[in-house]
Amino acid sequence: MAPLPFLAAMAALAPLVSSPESSFVLNVQRGESLQIVNLTCEPSGGLHPRADRACDALSLVDGDVGRLSTGGDVICTLEYDPVRVRATGKWRGEERWFEAEFPNPCVLRAETGPVFDF
């Protein structure tokens, strides 16, 4: 039988070793280039270089990537340099999926904020 202090220590570590309820695999394709990162939230992490900012943005829209917006007055050029993005994963245990194409990287950032900024 395990001593009680050991069991108490294991119980305290359980939240630290469980997988986050919010995580995404994010893809950005521009021409032949494809970038893929993982993002975890609550707590923020993964390979996303701005995980804290991306998770904050997702929190504002309950993990619905399609509802993201910077809300600012961003002026982008009319150049055509298409960027295709995809987000698959879950938010607080609920499945999420998003796929879209934007005419250029500026429009992508204006419409999705920091989520696909990697």
Side-chain angles (χ1 to χ4, degrees):
M1 188 161 139
L4 287 178
F6 175 76
L7 292 176
M10 291 305 293
L13 287 176
L16 299 175
V17 295
S18 65
S19 62
E21 287 190 40
S22 300
S23 63
F24 289 93
V25 174
L26 305 169
N27 301 318
V28 174
Q29 183 174 3
R30 187 171 172 195
E32 297 297 316
S33 172
L34 175 65
Q35 293 177 288
I36 302 171
V37 301
N38 69 316
L39 170 68
T40 58
C41 299
E42 300 169 342
S44 300
L47 296 176
H48 196 293
R50 286 167 271 297
D52 288 333
R53 291 181 59 216
C55 289
D56 289 347
L58 287 166
S59 290
L60 295 174
V61 295
D62 195 30
D64 184 349
V65 179
R67 291 179 34 218
L68 286 169
S69 176
T70 61
D73 294 326
V74 178
I75 298 173
C76 294
T77 63
L78 297 177
E79 74 179 294
Y80 185 67
D81 184 12
V83 182
R84 188 160 189 74
V85 297
R86 177 182 295 159
T88 57
K90 57 185 177 170
W91 182 259
R92 297 181 179 152
E94 292 184 24
E95 295 294 322
R96 296 286 195 260
W97 182 86
F98 174 80
E99 187 172 354
E101 184 172 296
F102 297 91
N104 60 53
C106 178
V107 175
L108 169 65
R109 282 188 302 277
E111 299 211 8
T112 63
V115 173
F116 292 101
D117 187 16
F118 50 85

